[in-house]
Amino acid sequence: MCGIFVYVGTRNGIRIAIDGLKKVEYRGYDSAGIAFIEKGKIVCKKAVGKLKNLEEKLGDETATTVIAHTRWATHGKPTEENAHPILDAKGSVAVIHNGIIENYMQLREELEREGVKFRTETDTEVISNLIATVYKGDLLKAVQEMMPLIKGAWAIAVIHKDHPDECIVAKNSAPLVLGIGVGETFAASDPNALVHHTREVIYLSDGEVARIRPQGAELFDAEHLPISKQVEQIKHSVEEFSKGQFEHYTLKEIYEQPQAMRNAMLSRFFEDYGTVALDDLFLKPAELLAVKRIVIVAAGTSLHAGMIARYMLEEISRIPTSIEIASEFRYRNPIVEDGTLVIAISQSGETADTIAAVRELKAKGATIIALCNVQGTTLTRDADYTFFLRAGPEIGVCSTKAFTSQLTVLALFSLMMARLRHMSKLEGKEFLIALEAVPEQIETVLAQAMAIQHLADKYAHLNDFFFIGRRYMYPTCLEAALKLKEISYINANGYAAGELKHGPIALLNPHCPTFALCADQVTYDKIISNVLEAKARHSPIIALAFNDDERLHTIANDLILIPKTRDEFAPILASVVCQLFAYFCAKKRGADIDQPRNLAKSVTVE
Ligand code: M6R
């Protein structure tokens, strides 16, 4: 869960590498470093903390082959020593690494027995030392020889003091993409980092190695045989990767939701027939009808999208659905019966827990559909079918537009399954008409941003919050609480409102507000009772309800109204309110919104 950027060319690569690192900094930001070769020696510059600390350490150095890294610590504290690049004991080889070497302890002990002195606590140091040990003048060969010795998920870039014009990159279960320029070649953890330099990219597959030089990349498969791979084009525009007029990526991405949702729906439904045709789903209607059970696996925000989808899939498609926390599921011994369809949801497509759960399910014969925002990722390759979210790059660490796009695609999928079973054309049409109206309704919510900011200003000093809701609003509460925790560092609990009285109500007091999400028509009367229970315990009440609400204005201290929609789509509108609330609370508290502490965008470790 770190960011890699490599430049090999003829220009001064140091500035280019730093700019490239800024694009992958979301992947980890507790320390950063670069290495290059100067007069036959490896020079390494590192700094703890954000990238700007590294920038401050740089002078007027120049180099044409540069490896650069931004770290999210796994093995060893975020210190300068543990920051990458990591050199071998003799200082000949420098390695940057994303991922985890599972057998590093054993390898380290073996190397130590041979007299190798280790300087860091990282697992990466075994890589540089193994390469140095087997190196006999050919860096490519040394990396290829080292690769079978390490176990785990990793992507690496390696330079050697005697090879000033080349870098060897390789990967296994961690992302790495090559950028092909004119007289210069790049590698990065994310194609977004390359778009300023080239649109031509090659995605490396597991076990593949590339020797990159200014004139291009030579590729080799796991058997060391030369291969050629298709050069793909990055589709996103440069603007999609910039903050534009917004202060933070997170805010920009919140505001992009109407368009992201329209993109997610585009050409995927037929309103006249009240039905859906999802591209890339090549299952025949008979196969979809044979689905007896759906298992959704995901983590974090994607898990919450899955929880909301469960209500839809059971209610409108009438398919028994279970939702599984990926990190727990992988350690169960799941029962996969005939007719089990798995939906794996992941914005990044690189979440290690989700991928591991998918592999377990696939090995047991389940069909896997992935819901993913990023193309060419591990999850999309493992899955049988992928629905892309088309939300555009999500750079803020907290997931916003990917979440609402996930809900949109999941709503379409639920409708498709329902129409194949019992739902009438007319009901399908009504569902679609309501869904099509949501992007404009989000715009109405966004227009209330100032009021939501005032609300956040009023409450941001408090340290504990409850979000309560029922049915569709329950997972929406979990997501709202996650947003508030993640970016404003406020302790927030999401609760099924009916559970409040079973214990957590003891925590309510005048300094612990209850944010009640009441936009669920089926359970409206019930949640009003829960709100009254909270009010009786002197908890300030912030209520969110549909705009035809008649009761809450006399009960709540503060009331936010959202446009009326079907209960299935209320989570989308309520979530936009809660995202803005979390954003403005974080802003008021001076938190680092796009890169919250201790976090990283894609969690590629267990
Ligand atoms: O890329 P994924 O959707 O698989 O990521 C899963 C979680 O790590 C992610 O949703 C995380 O919870 C977000 N930072 C929440 O905003």
Side-chain angles (χ1 to χ4, degrees), residues 330-570:
R330 62 186 295 190
Y331 294 108
R332 299 223 309 260
N333 188 6
I335 298 160
V336 178
E337 295 158 330
D338 272 1
T340 300
L341 178 72
V342 173
I343 303 181
I345 311 174
S346 173
Q347 186 287 132
S348 63
E350 296 294 348
T351 299
D353 292 322
T354 307
I355 290 165
V358 160
R359 288 182 178 165
E360 176 66 21
L361 283 156
K362 205 172 170 185
K364 293 195 161 162
T367 302
I368 316 286
I369 293 180
L371 241 73
C372 214
N373 196 33
V374 184
Q375 302 208 344
T377 57
T378 309
L379 182 61
T380 63
R381 280 193 300 275
D382 283 355
D384 297 295
Y385 309 97
T386 300
F387 303 142
F388 285 105
L389 302 178
R390 308 174 182 162
E394 190 180 69
I395 293 163
V397 165
C398 99
S399 188
T400 52
K401 63 176 177 173
F403 176 67
T404 46
S405 298
Q406 285 164 348
L407 293 181
T408 307
V409 177
L410 288 163
L412 291 173
F413 180 76
S414 305
L415 173 62
M416 183 180 75
M417 296 303 258
R419 284 285 285 121
L420 280 170
R421 287 170 167 74
H422 57 85
M423 189 190 258
S424 73
K425 183 160 95 176
L426 183 64
E427 285 171 313
K429 215 169 155 177
E430 283 167 4
F431 187 90
L432 280 172
I433 289 170
L435 186 63
E436 279 180 277
V438 178
E440 213 173 309
Q441 293 177 319
I442 299 179
E443 278 156 10
T444 311
V445 171
L446 292 171
Q448 297 183 61
M450 206 177 273
I452 298 170
Q453 180 165 18
H454 287 147
L455 193 68
D457 288 349
K458 178 173 166 188
Y459 289 101
H461 65 286
L462 296 172
N463 290 320
D464 299 291
F465 269 74
F466 270 93
F467 286 85
I468 60 165
R470 284 171 174 262
R471 221 165 70 104
Y472 286 95
M473 288 293 110
Y474 161 51
T476 312
C477 284
L478 297 181
E479 174 57 11
L482 175 62
K483 291 289 91 107
L484 198 60
K485 282 187 272 223
E486 185 178 18
I487 60 171
S488 56
Y489 315 145
I490 292 174
N491 174 37
N493 278 297
Y495 257 93
E499 279 292 291
L500 205 60
K501 59 186 174 295
H502 296 292
I505 200 164
L507 291 170
L508 294 184
N509 67 59
H511 306 290
C512 177
T514 301
F515 202 135
L517 304 188
C518 308
D520 185 86
Q521 290 156 85
V522 171
T523 57
Y524 181 75
D525 288 337
K526 302 282 177 207
I527 189 122
I528 292 287
S529 308
N530 300 134
V531 169
L532 290 170
E533 286 158 14
K535 191 178 164 80
R537 273 76 188 177
H538 309 291
S539 170
I541 306 294
I542 309 165
L544 177 147
F546 287 128
N547 55 12
D548 59 356
D549 193 274
E550 288 177 351
R551 292 171 67 187
L552 281 160
H553 67 277
T554 56
I555 302 173
N557 299 69
D558 292 281
L559 179 61
I560 307 165
L561 298 174
I562 58 169
K564 187 78 180 266
T565 182
R566 292 171 66 106
D567 285 353
E568 295 93 334
F569 310 141

Side-chain angles (χ1 to χ4, degrees), residues 154-202:
W154 48 266
I156 53 170
V158 185
I159 56 170
H160 190 286
K161 70 178 180 53
D162 296 338
H163 300 264
D165 297 325
E166 72 177 41
C167 172
I168 309 297
V169 297
K171 67 154 261 166
N172 181 50
S173 296
L176 200 66
V177 59
L178 308 182
I180 311 299
V182 180
E184 51 192 13
T185 313
F186 306 83
S189 303
D190 183 335
N192 302 352
L194 305 174
V195 74
H196 284 272
H197 305 289
T198 180
R199 294 193 157 272
E200 306 215 317
V201 294
I202 297 174

Side-chain angles (χ1 to χ4, degrees), residues 27 51 98 114 132 207 220 223 250 329 351 387 408 430 447 529 563:
R27 301 178 65 84
L51 202 44
N98 168 31
E114 286 164 24
F220 302 88
E223 271 70 54
T250 303
F329 189 69
T351 299
F387 303 142
T408 307
E430 283 167 4
S529 308

